[in-house]
Amino acid sequence: MIVCMFERWAKSAVTGFVCIVLSLAGCVAATAAELRIGLGADVTSLDPHFLNVAPNNNAAWQVYDALTHVDANARLIPGLAVSWRAVDSTTWEFKLRKDVKFHDGSAFSAEDVIFSLERPATLSASPGPFTGFVKPIVAKKIIDPWTLQLKTAAPYAMLPYDLNSIFIVSKKAASGASTEDFNSGKAAIGTGPYKLSRFARGDRIELARNDSYWGAQNGKLAPWDKVTLRILPADTARIAALLAGDVDAIENIPTADLTRLKANAKFRLEQKVSWRTLFLHLDQYRDHPPHLSDKSGKPLAKNPFKDVRVRMAMSKAINRRAIVERVMEGNAIEAGNLVSPPVFGHVAALKPETYDPKAAKDLLAEAGYPDGFALTLYAPNNRYVNDEQLAQTVAQMLARVGILTRVETLPASVYFGKARAGEFSFALLGWGSFSGDLALRALLATPNAAKGYGAWNWGHYSNPKADGLLEQGFATLDEKKREALAREAATLALKDVPVILLHHQLASWAMRKEIAYEARTDEYTFARDFRRR
Amino acid sequence: MPAFVIRRLLQSVLVLGVMSLLVFAGVYAIGNPVDILIDPQAGQADIARAISALGLDRPLVEQYLIFLRQALAGDLGNSFVYNVPAIQLILERMPATLELALAATTLAVLLGIPLGLWAGLAPDSWQGKLIMSGSILGFSLPTFWVGLLLIMLFAVELGWLPASGRGPTTEFLGVQVSFLSWDGMRHLILPAINLALFKLSLIIRLTRAGTREALLQDYVKFARAKGLSNARVVGVHVLKNIMIPVVTVIGLEFGSVIAFAIVTESIFGWPGMGKLIIDSINVLDRPVIVAYLLVIVFLVILINLAVDIVYSLLDPRVRIGEAQA
Amino acid sequence: MRREQTPLQRIAADFGESRLALSGLALLALIVLAALFAPLISPQNPYDLAQLDVLDSRLPPGSRSGAGLTFWLGSDGQGRDILSGIFYGLRISLMVGVASTACAVIVGLSMGLCAAYFGGRTDSLIMRIVDIQLSFPSILIALILLALLGQGVGKTIFALIMVQWAYYARTVRGTALIERGKEYIEAATCLALPPARIVFRHLLPNCLPPLIVIATVQVAAAIALEATLSYLGIGVPITEPSLGLLIKNGFDYMLSGKYWISFFPGIALVLTIVSINLVADRLRDVLNPRLQQ
């Protein structure tokens, strides 16, 4: 540290006194290094097994680890498990990391893993439980303190992925602990890079560095002994806090401020394609879907969305580049896949549909709608980045090829209930997924409640061949083969234009020029990954 | 008077009951939090299980009766998303909101009454006109827009005051408050001004209107004719006359100050209950919504009672309990 | 020393004595005309998405659109001409503010007068309803109502009426109670005048001045509340923005220097409210019977 300081001093010596003062200021900061980060959403609880929502998980990731982690590209990497393999078609074996200590100094072992896997099911009153991730496990066996075997009823390839979502807590500290015990810090004992110092609900989370963290990069711990996560859900408050120097870094930059921040020499912007894809669901199962008529308001003879030419025409009518440049101000890329480029199962050969209003009109005419028709596009207004602006822009573009489009936007609390109840026939949805086959299973597989397929397939698109490939993939434990199957299923399904793909969002962070962050596809903000430049 | 107070309180319990039913039915009609919060990858079976674990699959009446039984035992239920007692959550956030609301109201009263008196006593002077023009501007500007302008000017451009959040808190009479430290005060200034602006304009207008009216009243003319000093006429006779509308409005508006703190709190990242309620509505966290409303209703009933009592003190002709006479 | 005048002439004459009020009236007239004739004077129909092009989005004032239209006040995120947006937005904002306040005054006034005049059980019942109403923070009533009803101009007006009426009822009752104790009402009662006559001829005129003050403020508040509801994602639909929604849409761009999206509609909103208030201020002075010397 001192050497580093000296180098900096030597470099700046030529520029005179001002720089010396600056170096000294830097020196003061180095001895009591604090990082203040503005988070974009409220953290409701620090119980890592209570509510499975991104802001809570983001906070938990500072304090806890999971067996498997994901890297900046959303690909699986070792976490508290150093390796894993399929012993037979229904048994996964995990080798655990040795010499890992919890924040209270106690040693980490397979007992803690078993406890953590069983804990989510004991918390019944959760609107977003973690139980889905451990449900496939039918038996657990400790081979030795650092080897664990997990059995599933059927071959299940996704288990290592699912275990990325289960945080490992200390059995000793968390036995019988309530959510309050986690919030107060009493039970919040993890193995992660930071220890919880204080949680002021709705305001801030204060963390202190875990100096014996196993995951030090090249033997170097994060440079910050103290981290304060400020909860600033209002975009303007968050951006103003950064500009005013109240925080050092913020996540989730509003698109409106991107250009300005990019041009501001005092700040750095880090961006990466996120795993979230936005697209439009089309009703392909009812003969007379709601909110669909000819231009004079009379019902249509049949459901136009059942005709692939109409769906293709609508896709061709969308100017995705204009959306990316104007609505998202460059904070997105055009989508030709359900999952974004770094994600497992992305098919590079599937390109975004080209904008061609002329061809769109021809296709509509060919399908029997030379004068177009009228519909209502539904969208949430507080869920995705610029969701209601996006809906209006899509409506403009459809109007230009003769499809009269009304836009109705609703708060997410109302929107998703109605969407589930089938009240929309043309609706916006955003999706983030670890892998292409998971996305396909939820969004485009034939709805089947018993199998858990097609839970979000609002349009009831159905392709038995793609369903078959998916099922085959989930039973394939070899990653390479499974990815090939996922790609095949995606290619097959997307050929039918079952949804109208729009764009993949970018995740973005802004920070003082002196620090850097490795942007992540999973959108998480990890205090340990902020570095001094 | 005690009988009157008791009757008022009994009626208020009825109000609370009716209101909780309305909110219950309202939130029930909108939807349930599982649809919003459950992991999107979850299947229909997982969703159904989560809904039933929260008891949200039961008929509305049954859910309400369960709530009522627990409420009578003093338990308003756990928040769905925070998993701690809803009332605890509210009470935890209440000092921050009350502090903001009181700061704003104090600011509005301390500035509003003198400015209003000035404008009322000298309506044709340039100062009087300036005050009135200012007050018109004050409620012509939407709160969230003013909040942003304040942040832009004082936090970003000038860098004098922090842009958001609440400063360090210290314990005062058993409550965590932030206004006792310099840093806490600095955090409080902008949100308090933002929240006070509208009420300030209102009080200026009411004070001015009341003053002008009082000056024409016979008793004021008489007092003047008797040769009482101007200060005494204004300080005693005029002020007493304008106190009735002003007290009414401050009382009535205090509830709305707390409610409108929702906007100020979300702009300034102030960790009060207004911010909590918006989040709770967004995820349909019914126990918190109901508990919040009960707390607000309770506060407002107390304030109304206080206003009625002050009424009777200020104007003996309005006797308390007259409504029941 | 005045000549014989009809009350209306007298009011008009008194009103004209204030130059400020006259200029307010002129401004308000201009604004109302602009709102009424918005479709004729707007360069573009900002509510027809087919006429908008996202490629024209966020152009600074004075720019030309791809179709050759000049955006005198710039364009918003959808390529909507801000000037046209203001004209159309004025219509919606004014309609929402005036309609909701007028209805709320009628409801609140009747309720408040009934409560004060009849007293007893009637008073008790009405005031308990008012209590319930006022116990709900206004934003919350509107939020829950609109969440149930969905977006729409009519629904927003309805929600704003529900939010406001109780204020008037309570204020009118408060004033009327004082008036009721005064001699002239006692005298009227002694004369055995019918209740309706006492209420409308004697109580009502005396309750009006404070009511006008509050109603004035409430028109502004209604428009601001509508903007706040839009800010929270409910209220009027996004495709037919009111002034409040236009401000909200440009809000995110304030810190990034694209001020015009939010700034000009904000100015239009402020001018509207200021002009209404200037007029109403003067009207109140003119209408107040006790200020008539």
Side-chain angles (χ1 to χ4, degrees):
Chain A
M1 192 65 86
I2 293 167
V3 173
C4 155
M5 282 310 306
F6 180 75
E7 274 174 11
R8 255 175 86 186
W9 185 83
K11 270 184 197 160
S12 54
V14 275
T15 49
F17 180 71
V18 176
C19 292
I20 299 174
V21 173
L22 279 177
S23 310
L24 287 175
C27 188
V28 172
T31 47
E34 188 192 348
L35 180 69
R36 300 156 305 166
I37 306 174
L39 298 183
D42 191 21
V43 175
T44 66
S45 148
L46 285 186
D47 183 335
H49 299 140
F50 171 62
L51 188 64
N52 178 29
V53 292
N56 286 19
N57 294 345
N58 191 37
W61 274 115
Q62 321 292 338
V63 178
Y64 305 97
D65 292 304
L67 287 186
T68 56
H69 286 190
V70 295
D71 65 8
N73 287 322
R75 296 292 180 139
L76 218 53
I77 54 167
L80 284 176
V82 283
S83 66
W84 52 92
R85 66 189 177 101
V87 183
D88 58 53
S89 68
T90 59
T91 310
W92 281 97
E93 184 176 276
F94 291 85
K95 287 278 182 203
L96 304 185
R97 203 174 285 276
K98 293 178 184 172
D99 302 323
V100 173
K101 293 261 188 292
F102 279 105
H103 295 159
D104 61 359
S106 60
F108 156 76
S109 80
E111 289 286 341
D112 300 301
V113 178
I114 300 276
F115 175 80
S116 303
L117 293 178
E118 283 168 355
R119 192 166 175 272
T122 64
L123 307 170
S124 62
S126 167
F130 284 86
T131 44
F133 301 110
V134 290
K135 197 178 49 184
I137 303 171
V138 292
K140 313 174 188 74
K141 197 162 120 198
I142 296 179
I143 308 295
D144 65 56
W146 291 284
T147 311
L148 182 71
Q149 284 192 352
L150 300 174
K151 270 191 108 50
T152 54
Y156 186 59
M158 300 309 295
L159 194 65
Y161 286 82
D162 283 358
L163 292 183
N164 174 252
S165 295
I166 300 292
F167 295 103
I168 305 301
V169 299
S170 151
K171 183 181 181 182
K172 196 178 87 183
S175 289
S178 65
T179 296
E180 269 300 87
D181 294 328
F182 279 93
N183 290 344
S184 72
K186 202 176 99 192
I189 305 295
T191 56
Y194 281 92
K195 301 175 187 177
L196 176 66
S197 313
R198 191 169 80 95
F199 174 39
R201 232 189 323 252
D203 182 29
R204 65 187 67 207
I205 299 170
E206 287 169 8
L207 304 163
R209 186 172 56 203
N210 171 13
D211 286 329
S212 51
Y213 183 51
W214 60 268
Q217 288 169 5
N218 316 323
K220 266 169 68 181
L221 290 164
W224 327 102
D225 343 295
K226 190 178 175 230
V227 170
T228 303
L229 305 174
R230 288 275 309 275
I231 294 162
L232 300 168
D235 286 343
T236 40
R238 194 163 64 256
I239 197 97
L242 178 75
L243 293 177
D246 287 354
V247 294
D248 303 306
I250 56 172
E251 62 174 13
N252 199 356
I253 316 304
T255 50
D257 297 292
L258 282 171
T259 330
R260 193 103 206 267
L261 275 176
K262 257 181 208 156
N264 191 332
K266 277 158 71 186
F267 300 101
R268 162 192 312 285
L269 198 65
E270 306 272 11
Q271 283 182 297
K272 189 175 180 72
V273 61
S274 129
W275 56 348
R276 198 175 296 282
T277 307
L278 276 95
F279 55 88
L280 301 160
H281 263 311
L282 308 137
D283 185 320
Q284 291 152 63
Y285 66 106
R286 285 177 283 200
D287 287 327
H288 299 285
H291 318 296
L292 208 58
S293 67
D294 73 4
K295 280 182 173 165
S296 61
K298 285 201 273 300
L300 294 168
K302 52 185 199 290
N303 176 356
F305 296 152
K306 285 190 176 180
D307 189 329
V308 66
R309 287 171 299 188
V310 173
R311 304 198 296 266
M312 181 57 93
M314 290 170 76
S315 187
K316 280 188 182 298
I318 306 294
N319 184 350
R320 290 174 182 77
R321 215 169 92 204
I323 288 179
V324 164
E325 284 173 5
R326 298 305 174 121
V327 179
M328 301 300 291
E329 300 196 53
N331 204 28
I333 57 171
E334 300 171 44
N337 263 266
L338 271 182
V339 289
S340 70
V343 175
F344 183 93
H346 176 267
V347 189
L350 291 174
K351 299 284 182 223
E353 187 64 59
T354 42
Y355 170 56
D356 191 344
K358 168 92 182 46
K361 273 185 194 157
D362 292 347
L363 271 171
L364 279 176
E366 202 185 307
Y369 302 96
D371 296 324
F373 48 91
L375 51 73
T376 305
L377 164 60
Y378 282 87
N381 59 18
N382 55 0
R383 185 66 163 203
Y384 311 117
V385 177
N386 300 342
D387 40 18
E388 52 183 8
Q389 297 299 324
L390 179 65
Q392 289 182 75
T393 304
V394 167
Q396 285 184 14
M397 292 167 175
L398 291 178
R400 225 154 274 136
V401 299
I403 300 173
L404 181 65
T405 309
R406 295 169 297 260
V407 173
E408 196 142 336
T409 60
L410 301 165
S413 55
V414 181
Y415 182 76
F416 288 103
K418 284 188 189 263
R420 234 172 230 298
E423 288 186 29
F424 311 143
S425 54
F426 189 46
L428 179 72
L429 182 61
W431 200 259
S433 188
F434 264 148
S435 73
D437 43 5
L438 281 180
L440 278 169
R441 182 176 72 178
L443 301 172
L444 292 179
T446 312
N448 180 333
K451 283 199 309 195
Y453 274 42
W456 292 74
N457 186 354
W458 294 348
H460 291 217
Y461 166 77
S462 173
N463 184 335
K465 254 176 97 182
D467 292 352
L469 286 169
L470 282 177
E471 265 181 72
Q472 199 186 334
F474 289 123
T476 306
L477 303 181
D478 182 279
E479 290 282 284
K480 284 244 155 18
K481 276 190 209 145
R482 189 169 72 93
E483 187 160 15
L485 285 166
R487 288 186 169 136
E488 201 183 325
T491 313
L492 197 67
L494 292 177
K495 207 179 70 219
D496 291 338
V497 204
V499 291
I500 294 172
L501 293 165
L502 299 175
H503 61 260
H504 307 297
Q505 290 179 1
L506 298 189
S508 50
W509 290 261
M511 60 215 76
R512 288 193 293 122
K513 202 79 191 169
E514 300 78 44
I515 52 181
Y517 182 66
E518 189 188 6
R520 298 179 63 87
T521 289
D522 62 12
E523 301 181 359
Y524 283 131
T525 302
F526 287 170
R528 65 150 199 260
D529 287 345
F530 282 89
R531 297 282 153 179
R532 233 187 235 113
R533 293 187 63 244
Chain B
M1 191 141 103
F4 165 74
V5 172
I6 289 167
R7 198 159 41 213
R8 250 308 179 61
L9 286 178
L10 282 178
Q11 285 168 341
S12 305
V13 171
L14 188 72
V15 170
L16 292 176
V18 171
M19 210 216 48
S20 66
L21 183 61
L22 290 177
V23 176
F24 227 80
V27 178
Y28 180 83
I30 300 174
N32 74 71
V34 177
D35 271 334
I36 308 159
L37 289 171
I38 197 151
D39 177 32
Q41 314 276 4
Q44 292 92 320
D46 298 299
I47 295 170
R49 202 175 311 118
I51 290 178
S52 103
L54 291 172
L56 295 173
D57 54 341
R58 299 181 197 183
L60 173 63
V61 177
E62 193 184 331
Q63 288 187 44
Y64 185 68
L65 289 178
I66 294 172
F67 160 78
L68 217 53
R69 206 174 50 225
Q70 287 174 342
L72 289 178
D75 175 13
L76 291 178
N78 270 18
S79 153
F80 292 149
V81 300
Y82 289 88
N83 202 24
V84 294
I87 195 77
Q88 177 193 335
L89 214 53
I90 308 272
L91 294 179
E92 204 175 276
R93 301 278 189 104
M94 197 152 81
T97 297
L98 285 182
E99 180 176 58
L100 182 60
L102 281 172
T105 306
T106 312
L107 206 63
V109 171
L110 288 185
L111 288 175
I113 291 182
L115 286 176
L117 271 176
W118 192 345
L121 292 172
D124 296 320
S125 69
W126 66 268
Q127 293 101 328
K129 284 181 175 159
L130 187 72
I131 291 169
M132 284 317 283
S133 319
S135 85
I136 289 176
L137 259 183
F139 56 69
S140 301
L141 300 164
T143 309
F144 63 97
W145 157 274
V146 175
L148 186 73
L149 293 183
L150 288 175
I151 291 179
M152 271 183 70
L153 185 61
F154 292 103
V156 179
E157 295 299 327
L158 299 172
W160 292 350
L161 294 165
S164 67
R166 194 177 183 213
T169 56
T170 39
E171 196 166 304
F172 177 71
L173 301 176
V175 183
Q176 290 291 323
V177 296
S178 71
F179 67 89
L180 291 177
S181 67
W182 171 234
D183 193 31
M185 201 67 184
R186 279 171 29 107
H187 279 83
L188 184 58
I189 294 173
L190 289 184
I193 291 177
N194 185 221
L195 192 56
L197 205 57
F198 190 86
K199 305 306 163 199
L200 173 63
S201 312
L202 197 57
I203 290 177
I204 290 179
R205 293 174 69 81
L206 280 168
T207 309
R208 176 183 176 271
T211 308
R212 294 204 57 196
E213 210 161 291
L215 289 177
L216 297 170
Q217 299 273 332
D218 292 337
Y219 66 86
V220 172
K221 287 184 189 162
F222 185 66
R224 282 230 163 112
K226 267 201 327 194
L228 289 182
S229 72
N230 202 30
R232 191 168 160 78
V233 171
V234 172
V236 176
H237 297 287
V238 173
L239 210 54
K240 194 164 176 183
N241 191 56
I242 61 175
M243 273 331 246
I244 295 174
V246 168
V247 166
T248 314
V249 167
I250 292 171
L252 287 183
E253 291 291 309
F254 192 71
S256 101
V257 170
I258 291 177
F260 269 91
I262 291 174
V263 179
T264 301
E265 284 176 10
S266 54
I267 293 169
F268 288 92
W270 189 264
M273 46 184 198
K275 216 162 135 249
L276 177 71
I277 195 64
I278 280 292
D279 295 343
S280 300
I281 288 174
N282 279 338
V283 296
L284 300 178
D285 194 348
R286 191 188 60 205
V288 179
I289 302 175
V290 173
Y292 172 84
L293 287 171
L294 292 182
V295 168
I296 293 281
V297 171
F298 188 70
L299 277 177
V300 170
I301 288 170
L302 280 184
I303 292 165
N304 284 352
L305 200 61
V307 169
D308 274 351
I309 292 170
V310 175
Y311 243 43
S312 71
L313 295 178
L314 287 175
D315 190 340
R317 285 169 302 181
V318 180
R319 280 180 310 278
I320 225 163
E322 188 177 29
Q324 280 74 32
Chain C
M1 298 304 286
R2 276 195 190 129
R3 283 182 294 123
E4 279 305 306
Q5 285 176 320
T6 65
L8 213 61
Q9 281 172 326
R10 182 182 55 72
I11 289 168
D14 282 0
F15 189 92
E17 280 170 24
S18 162
R19 248 191 235 161
L20 197 62
L22 272 186
S23 43
L25 186 67
L27 184 59
L28 185 61
L30 270 181
I31 288 171
V32 170
L33 282 178
L36 283 177
F37 296 106
L40 298 178
I41 55 174
S42 299
Q44 181 194 59
N45 177 358
Y47 294 169
D48 182 5
L49 285 171
Q51 285 192 28
L52 310 181
D53 190 342
V54 74
L55 294 174
D56 296 330
S57 61
R58 289 183 291 273
L59 295 176
S63 311
R64 288 181 81 82
S65 78
L69 189 76
T70 307
F71 295 134
W72 293 111
L73 300 181
S75 66
D76 77 354
Q78 292 297 322
R80 191 177 279 126
D81 175 36
I82 297 285
L83 184 65
S84 310
I86 288 175
F87 289 151
Y88 275 77
L90 273 172
R91 278 159 87 97
I92 302 221
S93 292
L94 278 175
M95 191 175 74
V96 169
V98 171
S100 66
T101 305
C103 294
V105 165
I106 292 170
V107 176
L109 189 70
S110 340
M111 295 298 229
L113 283 178
C114 284
Y117 184 81
F118 294 109
R121 279 177 191 281
T122 317
D123 183 30
S124 231
L125 181 70
I126 292 175
M127 290 327 284
R128 286 304 76 76
I129 298 174
V130 166
D131 273 352
I132 297 180
Q133 188 73 69
L134 290 176
S135 311
F136 284 95
S138 51
I139 283 185
L140 221 52
I141 309 177
L143 195 69
I144 288 180
L145 274 176
L146 287 173
L148 288 174
L149 299 171
Q151 287 177 327
V153 174
K155 292 160 184 168
T156 308
I157 293 176
F158 176 72
L160 291 177
I161 296 171
M162 294 305 290
V163 163
Q164 294 181 62
W165 73 271
Y167 287 95
Y168 303 111
R170 203 164 212 285
T171 314
V172 166
R173 174 183 175 264
T175 321
L177 270 187
I178 296 173
E179 294 298 329
R180 216 187 81 169
K182 289 186 177 164
E183 291 81 3
Y184 72 97
I185 298 287
E186 273 168 33
T189 317
C190 288
L191 286 172
L193 291 179
R197 191 181 154 84
I198 296 178
V199 168
F200 286 105
R201 292 297 299 273
H202 299 287
L203 273 183
L204 184 62
N206 285 296
C207 295
L208 275 179
L211 205 64
I212 289 176
V213 182
I214 296 185
T216 308
V217 175
Q218 283 297 323
V219 173
I223 294 175
L225 186 59
E226 178 268 317
T228 308
L229 290 170
S230 305
Y231 176 70
L232 297 172
I234 51 177
V236 302
I238 181 80
T239 47
E240 296 184 4
S242 62
L243 287 179
L245 199 55
L246 285 173
I247 295 174
K248 183 242 169 184
N249 283 342
F251 189 58
D252 293 339
Y253 288 92
M254 288 295 282
L255 287 177
S256 62
K258 290 174 185 141
Y259 66 91
W260 59 88
I261 310 174
S262 202
F263 183 74
F264 293 122
I267 295 297
L269 180 64
V270 171
L271 285 180
T272 308
I273 299 171
V274 166
S275 64
I276 295 174
N277 283 331
L278 287 175
V279 170
D281 242 21
R282 185 65 193 157
L283 268 183
R284 183 198 51 189
D285 289 350
V286 172
L287 289 176
N288 191 335
R290 272 164 297 177
L291 289 176
Q292 296 305 321
Q293 298 299 315

